[in-house]
């Protein structure tokens, strides 16, 4: 339901910024366009942007919007972490299928990565912390 850029100061060290997702089907086309322009402007003009976390649903094949957003970020040479959420909702066979979809959909570059994440089991939590620390240049 995010409709603005929301800045969260973490430990007085850095900001995490939450932007509207593209799952905003409940708003009209005009508002969707404004969200898109706001996100684009933020991503391409923010000089101190260290990394972008693109959240995708691990249960489903990446959407056309997921791919467009990823390609947009790569066009502007942004470092990207794909965060595949809801990992706790799949069995082993489904996870293998989803891993293949992610690998095929997102051609990662040197500083990019994929984290399989679950807020329920905490899978991927430490990996996310390490990526954030590394992006900030801290150990």
């Amino acid at each position: 339901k995010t409709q603005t850029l929301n800045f969260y100061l973490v430990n007085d060290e850095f900001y995490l910024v939450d932007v509207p997702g593209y799952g905003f089907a409940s708003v009209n086309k005009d508002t969707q366009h404004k969200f898109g322009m706001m996100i684009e402007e933020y991503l391409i003009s923010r000089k101190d942007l260290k990394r972008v976390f693109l959240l995708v649903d691990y249960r489903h094949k990446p959407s056309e919007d997921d791919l467009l957003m990823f390609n947009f970020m790569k066009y502007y040479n942004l470092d990207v972490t794909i965060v595949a959420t809801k990992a706790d909702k799949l069995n082993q066979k489904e996870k293998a299928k989803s891993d293949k979809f992610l690998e095929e959909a997102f051609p990662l570059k040197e500083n990019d990565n994929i984290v399989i994440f679950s807020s329920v089991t905490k899978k991927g939590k430490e990996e996310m912390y390490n990526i954030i620390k590394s992006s900030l240049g801290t150990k």
Side-chain angles (χ1 to χ4, degrees):
K1 303 269 181 189
T2 302
Q3 296 193 10
T4 60
L5 297 176
N6 294 309
F7 291 75
Y8 299 96
L9 180 60
V10 179
N11 298 332
D12 288 324
E13 292 180 43
F14 65 95
Y15 285 94
L16 281 177
V17 181
D18 184 21
V19 303
Y22 31 81
F24 37 68
S26 60
V27 299
N28 64 41
K29 293 282 184 195
D30 232 17
T31 304
Q32 286 180 13
H33 180 71
K34 287 178 186 173
F35 286 171
M37 296 304 291
M38 177 178 52
I39 295 165
E40 182 177 318
E41 175 68 22
Y42 179 79
L43 290 174
I44 62 177
S45 66
R46 197 64 166 199
K47 300 297 181 221
D48 53 353
L49 182 67
K50 302 290 186 192
R51 175 165 294 279
V52 179
F53 295 93
L54 177 60
L55 279 63
V56 300
D57 192 328
Y58 192 45
R59 300 171 299 175
H60 307 289
K61 192 173 186 177
S63 71
E64 190 63 34
D65 286 334
D66 294 332
L67 301 175
L68 286 170
M69 182 57 75
F70 178 79
N71 289 328
F72 172 85
M73 291 184 289
K74 294 321 319 170
Y75 178 82
Y76 286 100
N77 296 312
L78 299 171
D79 292 338
V80 179
T81 295
I82 306 296
V83 182
T85 64
K86 302 180 179 129
D88 53 284
K89 308 252 185 223
L90 286 88
N91 64 38
Q92 284 307 113
K93 185 177 179 183
E94 292 166 330
K95 287 177 183 178
K97 187 176 181 181
S98 289
D99 288 343
K100 187 172 191 250
F101 286 149
L102 291 172
E103 186 180 303
E104 291 172 354
F106 300 113
L108 302 179
K109 294 189 177 178
E110 183 179 345
N111 292 323
D112 301 330
N113 46 23
I114 296 175
V115 175
I116 309 303
F117 192 86
S118 167
S119 62
V120 174
T121 67
K122 308 300 182 215
K123 176 176 177 46
K125 179 180 166 184
E126 284 302 315
E127 191 175 352
M128 291 294 293
Y129 284 151
N130 291 334
I131 291 167
I132 292 168
K133 287 177 192 175
S134 176
S135 296
L136 297 171
T138 59
K139 299 280 182 205

